Amino acid sequence: MQYWLEDLRRRLVGALGPGGDAQVDVSTRRRAEYTTDASNYRVVPRAVVFPRSADDVEAAFTVCRELGVALTSRGGGTSVAGNSIGPGVVLDFSRHLGRVLEVDPATRTALVEPGTVLDVLQAAARPHGLRFGPDPSTHARCTLGGMIGNDACGPHALASGRTSHNVVALEVLDGHGRRFGTDAPPAGLVTALEQVAAQHLATIRTQFGTFGRQVSGYALEHLLPEHGGPRGERLARLLTGSEGTLATLLQARVRLVPQAPATTFVVLGYPSMHEAADATPALLAHSPQAVEGIDRRLTEAVARRGGSVEGLPRGNGWLFVEMGGETPEASMAAARALVADSQALDSVVIATAADARKLWRIREDGAGLAGRSPEGLPAWPGWEDAAVPPARLGAYLREFDALMASHSVDGLAYGHFGDGCIHVRIDFPLYEDGGSLRAKAFLEDAARLVASHGGSLSGEHGDGRARGALLPLMYDADAIAAFERVKHAFDPDDLLNPGVLVRPNPLEADLRVPAARTAVTIGKRPLQFAYSKDAGDLTRAVHRCVGVGKCRADSGGVMCPSYLATRDEKDSTRGRARLLQEMANGTLVTDGWRSPEVREALDLCLSCKGCSVDCPAGVDMATYKAEFLDHHYKGRVRPLSHYSLGWLPRWSRLVLLAPKVVNGVLALPPVARLAKLAAGVDRRRPLPRFADRTFRAWFEERERTGAALTGAEPVLLWVDSFTDHFTPDVGKAAVKLLEHLGFSVRITERRVCCGLTWVSTGQLDGAKRQLRASLDALGGDLDVPVVGLEPSCTALLREDAAELLPGDERARALHGRVRTVAELIAERRPDWQPPQLGTAAVVQPHCHQHAVMGFGADRALLAKAGVDAQVLSGCCGLAGNFGAEAGHFEVSEQVAEHQLLPALRGRPDAPFVADGFSCRTQADHLGGRTGERFGKHLVELLAEALPD
C-alpha cells in the first residue's frame, strides 16, 4: 500500500510541475485530517492535493483518470452530508484558490475561484453596495465552490434565492477530461442531455422544481426544452447542487444583489414552534427578507453555554423576521404591518443592527449548539435539512416530532421557516451495538414522511452519503434512471465523487463513530481526566468535533490561534480532533498513544482552551493534548522544555536561595545561550528575571510587623508561582486593593501550586500531586473566597481541578469558591466606585479566563473606572510554555500579529492591561516599547490610583 501511495504521489508531483512537491501529501497525518467533513462519515483518501491553479486541477485529474483513481473536490470541509470526502484524491481548493478575481458593479457579477470564502466575496462586493444573496450560517468559512456543489441557501435565500439562482456561468472539468465553460459546452454533452430530457420528459415536468427548496437529486428541470435546454445559465444551474459528481469547478461567475438600504428586525413569539410554523405562510405575503424559526429548547442550549437570550418576547417558539425598505422609516413601517398580521403571542421590533446581531447569533450557532440533545446526549447530522412547502410546515413538524418519539430519539429543530427548511441533529445511538441500523430505520421513515408532504430530503446541504440511498423514497424509478443517464453523460467512469447521489453507498456504510474504539481499549493505562461530560471516555470527547469548522474562521473569539497563523488544516481544532478520532479508530493511525502523527498535529496547539468555549460543540483540545502527552511520554524521555518550563515552579523555589546571583549569571550572553539550549527554549526569547524578594516573603514580613490591615470579611489570596517569583508587585497591588475594599487578606501557610505547568506539558501525575498538596494547604474552610491573580491558575482551580481529582470533594468545591478580583468585587462590593482613571488602554484578556471565567466582570469594572478599553479578542501567542519552546517562535509571533501587536502599535501611549503573566511577557518582548515594564495587571492599574 505504501508503495502504491508513493507512486501516486510521484505521478501527481510530476504532473503539477515546479512546486508540486509541496502540493501533494500522502502522509498518514494529512490523510487522517481529510477522512471526514462535518458529516457522520469517514472515508480515507489516498492523497490530498492543494492546487494553485485550474491547470493544476486538470493535471491532477489527468493522473487520476490514467490510474482509475477517484477525485473529490473540497472547500471548507463543512459538508454535513459527507459529500466532500472520497476514497481517492481530495482536492483542497481553500488553501490557494480563494481569490475574488473581479467584481463588476455594472453587471452586478463577480468572478471567483472555487476556494473563495463567502465572507471574502461579501467584503469585496460591499464597497459597491452589493452582496451575494445566499448566506448560510457558515459564511465565515464556507467556500463558493462548496456552496455551488451543494446549492447552499441560508436565511436570506428567501429573498435572493438559492445559490443555483445566483450562478451566471461556470468553468468546469468533467469526467471525460473536457474543460469548458457552461456558456460553450461540448456539442456531444448538449446532445446527450437533450436526449435525457426527451426520454424522461413527463417525469421531469411533474417531479422536479416543485417548490423553492427542492435540492435533492439533480435539478433536472433545467433540461426542459421550455426553459431553453442545457445551455448557458441553465447548464450552470444543473451543475449547481450536483455535489462534484458531474464536474469539478474551476471558476465561477456569480450574480450579486444590492444590499438592502434599510432593515428592521422583528421577533415574533408563539406558544410553540408548531404554531410559529402555522403562522409562517401568511407572513410571506409581506415579502420578508428572512423568516427563521427556533424553539425554547435551542435558547436553553444557548443559555447553558453561557450565551445571552435576552430580548426575546414571550413564547416557546419564535420567528426571526427581517424586513427591508428603501429607508429606515419604510422598513419600520413594513415591520409594524407584519406584526399586525402575525397573530403572535408577543413581539419585539429591533431597529438597531447591533441588537439584532445578538439574536441572530443564537440562530447562527444552532448547528453546533444542537450537537447535544436536550438530555445532553451527542446529536448527529443525517436528517439535517429536509424541506417541505411552507404551507405544509406546521403539519410536518408535528408528525416529525411524533416520529422521533416513536423511535426514542430527539433533537433540537430550527431553520428557514420561510422556505420550509428544517435543520435538526438527532441523538442516534451510534455508540451502541445496532445503533447504526436504528438510525437507518429512522431515516427511512423520515424520508417517507417528508415525501408524503411533497418535500425534499435535502433543502440546501445536498444528499451526499447521508441521503443518497434514500432518493428512491422521494423519486420514482424513472427519475432515478434519469440521474444515472446524466451522470453517464458527464462522468461515465464514475471518477468524480463516487458513492454520492448516483449508485450511492448504503446509509450505514462508512459511519465514523461506530468504527471507533473507546479510549479504554487504546492502551492499558487509565485516563487521567474524568471527562465527566462525555461518560468518562476520551473517544466520545474527541467526537464532539462534528466538523462545523468554526475554528477555521476569525469569528471574534480566541479559537483557533494556530490555524489563523498558518492556515493549515492540521493546525485547526478540527484537524487535531480528526487525528485523535483516527487514533481511536486504529486502522489508519495505528500506534495509539505513541502515534507520531497525533503528536505532530498537537505540536502547534497553544493549549489556549479557546475552543472549549468558542467551539459550538465544546471541544477542549487543551485537555485532550495534556492527556495525549501524558500517555505518549509515559516511561520515555520527554522534550527538554517539559523538564524546564514544565517544572518551572520547582526551579523557582530553588532560585530562592540566591535570586540576585541567578539573575546576574543568566544575564551573561554565553550563559543565557547555554541555558536556553539546555532548557529547550527558543534562542530569541529573553529569559525571565526572578524577583529579588518573593511576594510571600513580603506578605509574611508584613504580618509579622503588624502592617496588615484587618477587615470584616476574610479572603484567601492564591499565591501562584508567577506572582510569587516574578511579579510580586501584582500581589502587593492586590493586597492594597482588597484591603481598601474592606477585606482581610490572608494566604496559606504552606506554598501552593495548581500544577498548571505540569498540565500544559502533559505530566498529569505531577499535576495531581501539586493539586492534592495545595488542597491540603487550603484547609477545610469552604466559605472563604479564594482569589486568583493569574488567570490560567484561577481557571485550572475553577474547572480542571475537579476533572483531575474527580473523587476529591475539595476539588469540586473550588468551582464555587475561586474568584477573580473583578468577580469578587462584582459579587461582594457591587456598589464600590473605583477611582476614575480617565485613560484609554489596550486590554488583553487571558485565553483561559475567556474560556472559563469570562471577561464580563473585568470589562464592567474597567468601564466603571472610566477606562476607554480596547479589549482584544485573540490570543497573545505566548500561551504559557508554548511560545517559549524552541520551534514555536514564528507561530507565536504570527499569532501576536493577529491582534496584540497591531493594537500596541496603534496606541503606543496607552497603558497595556493584561492579567496573564504570559500576555505581559509577550507584549514586553515583541511590543516594540523600551524602558520600564509597561504591562499592568488590572489590580495594579486600580491600586496605583488609590491613596496610600
Side-chain angles (χ1 to χ4, degrees):
M1 179 64 175
Q2 189 59 40
Y3 172 81
W4 200 100
L5 291 175
E6 287 301 325
D7 182 61
L8 174 61
R9 182 183 183 281
R10 179 180 57 78
R11 289 177 180 243
L12 287 168
V13 169
L16 294 173
D21 190 66
Q23 295 171 249
V24 182
D25 200 333
V26 299
S27 69
T28 298
R29 194 215 73 229
R30 182 67 78 188
R31 292 162 60 219
E33 293 160 15
Y34 287 79
T35 54
T36 187
D37 43 21
S39 71
N40 298 333
Y41 293 91
R42 171 189 178 268
V43 178
V44 180
R46 295 182 179 181
V48 179
V49 175
F50 304 96
R52 295 179 180 272
S53 67
D55 290 343
D56 284 352
V57 177
E58 189 171 9
F61 178 73
T62 299
V63 173
C64 290
R65 195 169 177 220
E66 290 171 354
L67 298 177
V69 174
L71 184 142
T72 299
S73 299
R74 180 179 174 116
T78 57
S79 164
V80 295
N83 37 25
S84 62
I85 54 176
V89 171
V90 172
L91 295 179
D92 184 345
F93 287 94
S94 67
R95 177 76 70 84
H96 302 301
L97 291 176
R99 296 176 299 167
V100 178
L101 301 174
E102 174 187 294
V103 174
D104 186 346
T107 61
R108 291 181 177 173
T109 63
L111 187 64
V112 299
E113 293 178 323
T116 304
V117 172
L118 176 57
D119 273 3
V120 173
L121 173 59
Q122 303 292 39
R126 193 172 297 118
H128 305 285
L130 301 171
R131 67 177 181 87
F132 188 66
D135 56 347
S137 60
T138 53
H139 53 82
R141 64 261 191 201
C142 70
T143 64
L144 268 295
M147 293 179 66
I148 290 169
N150 295 348
D151 200 3
C153 301
H156 291 95
L158 182 63
S160 57
R162 309 194 311 252
T163 297
S164 57
H165 301 133
N166 293 276
V167 295
V168 177
L170 306 177
E171 183 186 356
V172 298
L173 181 73
D174 74 1
H176 294 273
R178 299 176 296 197
R179 183 173 173 177
F180 60 89
T182 52
D183 51 352
L189 175 64
V190 173
T191 299
L193 294 176
E194 287 175 341
Q195 290 174 352
V196 172
Q199 293 182 16
H200 302 275
L201 193 60
T203 294
I204 296 173
R205 281 176 172 160
T206 56
Q207 295 187 41
F208 291 86
T210 58
F211 76 108
R213 282 297 184 101
Q214 185 179 351
V215 171
S216 281
Y218 294 137
L220 300 186
E221 66 270 21
H222 299 300
L223 298 179
L224 292 172
E226 57 262 36
H227 294 324
R231 298 175 186 271
E233 195 167 316
R234 286 288 168 184
L235 181 55
R237 290 188 175 189
L238 172 67
L239 289 172
T240 301
S242 62
E243 304 180 32
T245 63
L246 303 182
T248 297
L249 179 66
L250 304 176
Q251 204 172 89
R253 184 168 290 279
V254 296
R255 184 172 291 109
L256 303 175
V257 297
Q259 297 178 19
T263 59
T264 298
F265 187 59
V266 179
V267 184
L268 303 172
Y270 294 89
S272 74
M273 195 165 69
H274 301 149
E275 279 89 347
D278 293 337
T280 297
L283 303 182
L284 300 181
H286 290 263
S287 301
Q289 295 186 342
V291 180
E292 300 291 293
I294 65 171
D295 76 348
R296 177 169 296 282
R297 297 197 302 172
L298 188 64
T299 66
E300 290 171 348
V302 174
R304 283 195 298 270
R305 289 294 305 276
S308 173
V309 294
E310 294 180 359
L312 292 172
R314 288 181 297 117
N316 293 307
W318 295 273
L319 294 179
F320 291 6
V321 186
E322 188 175 280
M323 300 299 296
E326 291 299 318
T327 64
E329 293 76 16
S331 69
M332 179 61 74
R336 288 172 176 156
L338 177 97
V339 170
D341 286 350
S342 66
Q343 298 183 337
L345 182 69
D346 194 9
S347 64
V348 173
V349 178
I350 301 172
T352 66
D355 289 339
R357 188 76 210 139
K358 294 175 184 176
L359 290 173
W360 270 123
R361 182 69 180 267
I362 300 172
R363 168 62 185 84
E364 286 194 355
D365 278 348
L369 294 171
R372 294 270 145 178
S373 74
E375 291 73 31
L377 299 172
W380 310 101
W383 194 248
E384 175 63 26
D385 65 323
V388 298
R392 305 285 302 175
L393 183 58
Y396 167 72
L397 281 176
R398 290 178 174 88
E399 292 181 48
F400 182 71
D401 284 351
L403 179 66
M404 286 197 293
S406 71
H407 281 263
S408 300
V409 295
D410 198 1
L412 298 173
Y414 60 97
H416 313 297
F417 278 33
D419 287 311
C421 181
I422 298 299
H423 295 304
V424 63
R425 289 173 184 258
I426 299 171
D427 57 359
F428 299 125
L430 297 182
Y431 287 108
E432 300 176 8
D433 291 340
S436 58
L437 294 179
R438 284 183 57 190
K440 178 183 178 182
F442 172 85
L443 292 171
E444 290 172 343
D445 284 349
R448 295 184 185 97
L449 173 62
V450 81
S452 72
H453 285 275
S456 177
L457 308 180
S458 172
E460 65 177 329
H461 292 160
D463 300 305
R465 299 170 187 277
R467 289 174 287 276
L470 297 172
L471 288 172
L473 298 177
M474 175 180 169
Y475 293 111
D476 66 17
D478 193 60
I480 300 299
F483 292 163
E484 289 266 7
R485 296 196 64 192
V486 169
K487 172 72 169 175
H488 188 269
F490 282 94
D491 181 30
D493 297 323
D494 201 16
L495 294 176
L496 300 178
N497 213 8
V500 174
L501 276 175
V502 172
R503 295 183 292 283
N505 293 336
L507 294 180
E508 68 275 20
D510 303 319
L511 287 170
R512 180 176 67 252
V513 169
R517 301 170 294 172
T518 65
V520 175
T521 63
I522 295 173
K524 296 180 180 179
R525 190 162 178 260
L527 295 172
Q528 292 277 40
F529 285 95
Y531 302 100
S532 58
K533 297 178 181 178
D534 295 288
D537 187 6
L538 178 63
T539 291
R540 293 199 182 206
V542 300
H543 276 91
R544 279 178 173 268
C545 178
V546 292
V548 293
K550 190 177 179 183
C551 49
R552 286 170 53 100
D554 186 2
S555 54
V558 171
M559 179 184 72
C560 177
S562 53
Y563 178 79
L564 294 177
T566 69
R567 300 291 174 176
D568 191 322
E569 179 73 15
K570 80 176 178 67
D571 299 320
S572 68
T573 305
R574 182 177 71 180
R576 296 179 181 114
R578 294 299 179 235
L579 264 296
L580 289 163
Q581 290 168 4
E582 287 302 312
M583 183 183 81
N585 179 281
T587 58
L588 178 61
V589 174
T590 57
D591 294 333
W593 294 116
R594 299 297 197 193
S595 165
E597 297 91 356
V598 177
R599 184 190 65 223
E600 183 182 359
L602 292 171
D603 180 55
L604 293 183
C605 172
L606 284 78
S607 296
C608 67
K609 292 185 77 73
C611 51
S612 68
V613 65
D614 293 338
C615 170
V619 170
D620 185 357
M621 193 55 61
T623 295
Y624 311 157
K625 178 180 180 179
E627 185 80 58
F628 174 81
L629 292 178
D630 182 84
H631 290 268
H632 184 76
Y633 287 112
K634 186 66 176 177
R636 304 168 82 185
V637 176
R638 288 174 167 269
L640 292 172
S641 62
H642 288 199
Y643 301 112
S644 58
L645 302 175
W647 295 359
L648 186 61
R650 182 176 294 169
W651 302 124
S652 298
R653 288 195 289 273
L654 287 177
V655 173
L656 285 176
L657 299 173
K660 292 183 180 180
V661 174
V662 172
N663 287 331
V665 171
L666 291 179
L668 299 173
V671 176
R673 283 195 296 270
L674 286 174
K676 292 175 190 178
L677 183 64
V681 171
D682 191 278
R683 59 180 175 78
R684 289 159 288 190
R685 286 290 182 189
L687 294 173
R689 180 178 177 83
F690 293 91
D692 293 342
R693 188 186 191 202
T694 65
F695 167 74
R696 178 175 283 274
W698 171 86
F699 189 90
E700 290 173 347
E701 180 178 345
R702 191 168 177 267
E703 284 191 318
R704 284 195 302 271
T705 60
L709 299 178
T710 58
E713 191 172 356
V715 295
L716 193 147
L717 190 64
W718 180 272
V719 185
D720 63 89
S721 300
F722 303 101
T723 300
D724 197 24
H725 295 284
F726 298 104
T727 57
D729 286 346
V730 171
K732 296 173 186 178
V735 171
K736 180 180 179 180
L737 176 60
L738 291 170
E739 289 184 344
H740 173 81
L741 290 165
F743 292 104
S744 176
V745 182
R746 67 187 197 214
I747 65 174
T748 57
E749 293 183 7
R750 286 177 285 164
R751 295 186 182 277
V752 291
C753 176
C754 68
L756 169 70
T757 57
W758 278 267
V759 171
S760 62
T761 53
Q763 302 179 80
L764 299 181
D765 286 333
K768 290 180 178 182
R769 284 194 295 271
Q770 298 291 329
L771 265 176
R772 289 192 184 100
S774 295
L775 289 172
D776 291 341
L778 281 177
D781 186 358
L782 301 182
D783 295 328
V784 177
V786 176
V787 180
L789 297 176
E790 173 58 40
S792 53
C793 300
T794 309
L796 192 147
L797 294 171
R798 182 103 143 232
E799 183 173 272
D800 294 332
E803 289 293 300
L804 281 166
L805 302 175
D808 195 319
E809 292 291 340
R810 300 171 303 171
R812 281 200 290 271
L814 287 176
H815 181 79
R817 188 179 176 190
V818 174
R819 293 291 182 268
T820 67
V821 172
E823 288 176 326
L824 184 74
I825 293 172
E827 293 176 8
R828 304 291 180 106
R829 301 292 187 270
D831 298 327
W832 179 61
Q833 292 299 319
Q836 292 302 295
L837 303 178
T839 183
V842 175
V843 182
Q844 172 73 65
H846 192 284
C847 297
H848 288 198
Q849 179 167 358
H850 166 79
V852 177
M853 290 85 72
F855 198 69
D858 298 69
R859 191 188 298 268
L861 185 56
L862 284 163
K864 205 172 180 182
V867 177
D868 176 17
Q870 179 186 352
V871 180
L872 309 182
S873 60
C875 180
C876 76
L878 186 55
N881 57 289
F882 173 84
E885 293 174 339
H888 292 168
F889 182 82
E890 286 78 10
V891 170
S892 176
E893 188 174 38
Q894 287 174 314
V895 172
E897 283 289 356
H898 183 62
Q899 283 210 20
L900 174 61
L901 298 184
L904 293 177
R905 288 192 290 265
R907 304 180 98 172
D909 298 323
F912 175 62
V913 181
D915 287 3
F917 174 72
S918 60
C919 303
R920 298 193 300 273
T921 301
Q922 181 83 318
D924 284 347
H925 180 204
L926 301 179
R929 302 183 189 184
T930 59
E932 65 179 12
R933 183 176 65 85
F934 62 89
K936 294 181 183 295
H937 194 289
L938 176 59
V939 297
E940 291 182 286
L941 190 73
L942 295 172
E944 287 173 358
L946 296 175
D948 292 327

